[in-house]
Amino acid sequence: MYRHLERRLADRIRDFLHRTYALVLPRIVIEQPPRVELGEYALPLAFDLAKKLRKAPRKIAEEIVSGTGPIEGFEKLELAGAGYINARIHRDQFAIALAAGEAPHAAAATGKILVEHSSINPNKAAHVGHLRNAILGDTFVRLLRFAGREVDIQNYIDNTGVQVADVVVGFLYLEKKSRAEIEVLTTQPRFDYYCWDLYARASLWYAEDKQNLQVRHEVLHAIEEGGNETAVIADLISIAVLRRHLETMDRLDIEYDFLPRESEILHLHFWDAAFTKLKEASVLTFENEGKNKGCWVMRRAGTSKDETTEGTGVSEDDQKVIVRSNGTVGYVGKDIAYHMWKFGLLGKDFGYRKFYRYPNGHDCWISTTVGALDHPHFGDVAEIYNVIDARQSEAQNTVIEALRALGYNEQADHYTHFSYEMVALTPGCAAELGYQLSEEDKARPYIEVSGRKGFGVKADDLIDTLIASAKKEVDTRHPQLTDAERATIATQIATGALRYFMLKFTKSSVIAFDFKEALSFEGETGPYAQYAVVRATNIFRKGGFDPDDFSREIAHYVSAADLSKFLTGEANNDFWELWLASSKTSYVIDQCIATTEPAHLAKHVFQLAQLFNTFYHRYPILTETDESRKKFLLATIAVVRRELVRSLAVMGITVPPVM
């Protein structure tokens, strides 16, 4: 409702400006006043128009207020200050629509969206940093689907890269394992933990003698080539670890539709097709001299052509090597081919087979060279969002520039790098995990994790710790419940705490992970919001009402006249503030999508929970003697509860029956 009225207001103002001043403004800035007594919307546009119209802002504002005329749903426009325009809506009409629970207005279909997230190297256990990626990506998918968009979820698997090669080196050269022995190990629980330690040991082995790096090179070459014993072992390892990753993410209700693998990009000759197109369009050029001699290169994103330079017209420092002098293609080259497939520009497709079935029956598919014919249609999408950390910005920009250089400007415009910063550990958290810290380390605000050093928090360990901590509290508070019931509730609280923690920080913030902060049930946390819903639910149960039934039938309990009586006027601003905040879920979700920033929704949930708790402590509800006022108070709770549940669901957070 809030978003709908905002658009209506913008359209009327835009029409007035065109009729009166012959101005065409594609975007009308509309703000939210700091206090509800000032109205529901504020327009500062008179200040922006002052120079263009050669009038004082207040004069322009007066003309807009007097000339716009009535707007459906709005009580009036008011002049404020030196040129602000405040807009007041009909509170009772607005409340009736909000109480009815009208479904959010679905976006017009403009093609399928592909969200790629997680993309964990299948060489060891997932860690806390991977959880931030997966939770951000999964939440963005939920945001898009809430807005009515069709979304495919993909998780790119680099199963031929150096990280997998290092684990293979560990098995073959450090542990001297045979293929049969490795195959037995892959069936063991938490095989990914075994690989975590082995990966760190392989890194130390390279550091001991640089000549050992030649072994890595040979193993990597064998994996990329395929069709040999080393490649088979690498596939055994990567498949086993990948299954563990899916199991880990499933614990947080994170699912995928398709797992495209780098091995198929190579073996199905995706790169060869892309390479031909890039050469024909002169996007890539061959270097005959200098440090990049023998390489195929392209201009780095953000650099300009140097007319004084031979060949590419780009200095060596501004060249991005796509194909190395030994003929092997780098990560960015394969990524260019992959994204051409995503947009349906390559003329090739994967083979597909079912790989993993979730408890709800949803199938996740994986790429193969030859696969099933009855698979869903993947690729050929209208928009792409890649959830990849900020350190990959150059690589992402290079892919976008390659698309532009090939003439695919529309696709490049619809390719978004969903960038985020890393997750580190606070010194206290690192010490709690048993890591030895220097005095310098202890003084730092955070300590970076390192998979190569085996330094970090494994995702499953974190989830287990959170659940165990929540279970202790639930066991104490609700001993009458069965152990299975308490375990389920503890899991809901723990996953809510984790998901909220990862989402409340803006993407550009480095998260210094701390167990105590993540586990806190007070303040800006998932459990705080969950508890607000539980508290609201308990009010209905104590009053003899089913909260969901009441929410669906608010109009049956509260008349339009009562809504008007208790929501209009200055004396009822505190009630109105709660109803108005509840109306902004769709507005905030649109904002999250437009800015690729889910933290806005976390903030909305926290503020709504805060407002509800203030309301709960200020007004007696079940003891209210005025029956119409009592039903209005219950209606207020029903609206807030509904929007909290709806918003938390978009964040991937469920609400337990008790806390």
Side-chain angles (χ1 to χ4, degrees):
M1 277 298 298
Y2 188 84
R3 187 59 144 175
H4 179 68
L5 286 181
E6 182 193 58
R7 288 170 177 161
R8 182 181 295 168
L9 175 62
D11 288 344
R12 287 297 302 273
I13 296 297
R14 188 180 294 109
D15 178 66
F16 171 81
L17 295 176
H18 182 253
R19 286 187 290 104
T20 307
Y21 306 121
L23 291 176
V24 177
L25 294 185
R27 181 171 180 268
I28 303 294
V29 175
I30 299 179
E31 300 174 349
Q32 299 178 53
R35 302 186 307 279
V36 293
E37 55 264 33
L38 297 176
E40 288 71 44
Y41 305 94
L43 295 91
L45 79 163
F47 298 99
D48 297 328
L49 295 176
K51 185 174 182 181
K52 186 174 294 187
L53 297 179
R54 297 182 180 180
K55 294 182 180 181
R58 186 174 176 85
K59 178 62 176 176
I60 297 171
E62 286 176 351
E63 293 174 355
I64 294 173
V65 168
S66 62
T68 300
I71 305 174
E72 183 183 354
F74 286 83
E75 180 186 347
K76 59 182 175 179
L77 300 182
E78 293 178 336
L79 181 64
Y84 269 95
I85 299 170
N86 290 336
R88 296 185 183 275
I89 64 177
H90 287 293
R91 292 184 179 184
D92 50 350
Q93 296 176 15
F94 186 89
I96 291 169
L98 182 60
E102 295 177 357
H105 179 67
T110 55
K112 186 163 61 175
I113 297 175
L114 190 158
V115 176
E116 179 194 330
H117 68 81
S118 300
S119 303
I120 311 167
N121 289 317
N123 69 318
K124 65 182 187 306
H127 58 63
V128 64
H130 297 135
L131 289 180
R132 186 179 195 186
N133 182 306
I135 291 170
L136 281 170
D138 178 70
T139 302
F140 196 66
V141 169
R142 294 169 186 265
L143 288 162
L144 290 168
R145 287 178 172 168
F146 182 94
R149 299 302 303 273
E150 181 185 3
V151 187
D152 268 356
I153 314 163
Q154 296 192 9
N155 177 2
Y156 181 78
I157 310 302
D158 183 3
N159 62 333
T160 65
V162 67
Q163 289 82 5
V164 172
D166 286 347
V167 176
V168 174
V169 167
F171 276 115
L172 297 182
Y173 291 88
L174 275 67
E175 298 202 332
K176 312 294 184 183
K177 300 286 188 187
S178 66
R179 171 181 168 182
E181 290 172 320
I182 296 170
E183 192 164 5
V184 170
L185 283 171
T186 62
T187 64
Q188 301 304 304
R190 296 198 169 178
F191 172 69
D192 52 339
Y193 278 43
Y194 189 105
C195 293
W196 175 289
D197 296 331
L198 189 56
Y199 179 62
R201 286 171 55 201
S203 298
L204 290 174
W205 188 62
Y206 298 141
E208 290 168 1
D209 187 345
K210 296 300 182 184
Q211 290 186 357
N212 291 335
L213 289 170
Q214 181 60 31
V215 175
R216 171 201 271 176
H217 175 76
E218 293 168 359
V219 168
L220 181 60
H221 180 73
I223 293 172
E224 289 182 347
E225 186 176 15
N228 54 69
E229 184 76 357
T230 301
V232 170
I233 290 171
D235 191 57
L236 281 172
I237 295 167
S238 64
I239 285 290
V241 172
L242 174 57
R243 286 191 183 277
R244 284 290 304 119
H245 290 168
L246 297 188
E247 291 166 358
T248 298
M249 296 307 169
D250 193 21
R251 299 180 71 184
L252 300 175
D253 198 23
I254 295 173
E255 298 181 356
Y256 310 93
D257 298 318
F258 178 47
L259 311 171
R261 295 189 297 176
E262 188 169 287
S263 53
E264 276 68 56
I265 288 177
L266 292 172
H267 300 149
L268 292 173
H269 306 291
F270 279 29
W271 166 245
D272 294 340
F275 193 23
T276 298
K277 291 178 181 287
L278 291 164
K279 288 187 292 186
E280 288 176 350
S282 298
V283 178
L284 298 184
T285 54
F286 187 77
E287 286 298 292
N288 291 301
E289 56 185 26
K291 70 176 183 179
N292 292 330
K293 181 179 179 180
C295 300
W296 287 90
V297 303
M298 66 175 283
R299 184 170 66 243
R300 287 184 184 275
T303 62
S304 57
K305 189 170 182 179
D306 183 354
E307 300 296 341
T308 66
T309 308
E310 298 286 336
T312 61
V314 183
S315 68
E316 288 182 349
D317 290 339
D318 290 339
Q319 290 175 351
K320 178 68 176 178
V321 174
I322 304 300
V323 182
R324 306 179 189 97
S325 58
N326 63 4
T328 58
V329 59
Y331 165 78
V332 174
K334 287 175 280 192
D335 213 28
I336 292 171
Y338 173 39
H339 283 86
M340 290 177 68
W341 168 82
K342 285 182 178 181
F343 279 122
L345 304 173
L346 200 60
K348 286 182 172 291
D349 199 4
F350 293 102
Y352 301 89
R353 68 177 174 88
K354 292 179 182 178
F355 180 73
Y356 189 89
R357 173 160 286 190
Y358 293 97
N360 62 7
H362 176 67
D363 287 316
C364 177
W365 295 71
I366 195 168
S367 64
T368 65
T369 51
V370 179
L373 297 176
D374 58 341
H375 59 82
H377 179 68
F378 297 110
D380 194 20
V381 299
E383 295 179 64
I384 294 170
Y385 290 90
N386 279 350
V387 185
I388 305 176
D389 76 51
R391 291 169 291 185
Q392 298 298 319
S393 292
E394 183 187 342
Q396 289 291 293
N397 289 335
T398 300
V399 175
I400 293 172
E401 289 306 309
L403 289 171
R404 291 198 188 283
L406 286 167
Y408 301 125
N409 288 306
E410 183 178 354
Q411 288 82 356
D413 289 341
H414 290 91
Y415 180 132
T416 300
H417 174 200
F418 191 115
S419 174
Y420 66 94
E421 277 294 347
M422 66 179 180
V423 181
L425 305 177
T426 63
C429 181
E432 202 171 332
L433 289 165
Y435 293 111
Q436 298 298 314
L437 304 179
S438 67
E439 291 303 316
E440 183 181 356
D441 287 335
K442 293 176 183 177
R444 292 178 180 175
Y446 60 81
I447 299 171
E448 293 187 38
V449 299
S450 171
R452 290 196 175 277
K453 297 177 182 178
F455 184 79
V457 182
K458 298 183 186 71
D460 279 309
D461 285 349
L462 174 59
I463 296 170
D464 290 344
T465 301
L466 289 166
I467 292 174
S469 178
K471 180 86 163 35
K472 289 180 182 178
E473 190 69 25
V474 175
D475 288 345
T476 300
R477 295 188 181 194
H478 304 285
Q480 78 282 4
L481 300 177
T482 67
D483 190 64
E485 288 172 329
R486 295 197 303 272
T488 298
I489 292 168
T491 300
Q492 290 176 298
I493 293 171
T495 55
L498 177 57
R499 290 189 68 120
Y500 193 97
F501 183 86
M502 291 295 184
L503 293 169
K504 73 176 182 177
F505 298 96
T506 57
K507 297 178 305 170
S508 59
S509 303
V510 174
I511 295 179
F513 184 81
D514 185 86
F515 280 114
K516 291 181 180 179
E517 182 180 356
L519 290 169
S520 174
F521 284 17
E522 298 296 332
E524 192 175 354
T525 68
Y528 178 80
Q530 288 172 315
Y531 187 65
V533 178
V534 170
R535 175 176 275 171
T537 301
N538 287 339
I539 292 171
F540 283 101
R541 287 177 179 162
K542 290 177 181 178
F545 299 99
D546 179 279
D548 295 320
D549 287 345
F550 193 102
S551 181
R552 284 189 292 267
E553 301 293 338
I554 290 177
H556 174 74
Y557 296 102
V558 183
S559 68
D562 282 338
L563 287 176
S564 178
K565 173 183 175 182
F566 293 116
L567 286 175
T568 57
E570 292 278 328
N572 293 320
N573 277 342
D574 51 349
F575 291 150
W576 176 239
E577 184 178 17
L578 194 49
W579 280 71
L580 186 62
S582 299
S583 75
K584 293 181 181 178
T585 300
S586 295
Y587 172 85
V588 172
I589 285 176
D590 283 350
Q591 185 183 31
C592 291
I593 294 171
T595 60
T596 61
E597 184 54 89
H600 297 313
L601 185 58
K603 185 65 67 177
H604 170 66
V605 165
F606 178 55
Q607 291 174 343
L608 195 53
Q610 279 186 309
L611 286 170
F612 167 75
N613 284 326
T614 299
F615 168 85
Y616 171 84
H617 289 295
R618 183 175 295 171
Y619 297 101
I621 299 163
L622 297 180
T623 58
E624 173 60 57
T625 56
D626 182 331
E627 192 62 22
S628 63
R629 181 179 172 87
K630 177 180 178 179
K631 293 292 177 60
F632 166 76
L633 295 174
L634 286 170
T636 301
I637 297 172
V639 168
V640 175
R641 178 183 176 276
R642 183 189 67 208
E643 295 308 312
L644 278 172
V645 170
R646 179 183 283 176
S647 298
L648 287 169
V650 176
M651 295 174 70
I653 298 172
T654 58
V655 179
V658 297
M659 293 283 283

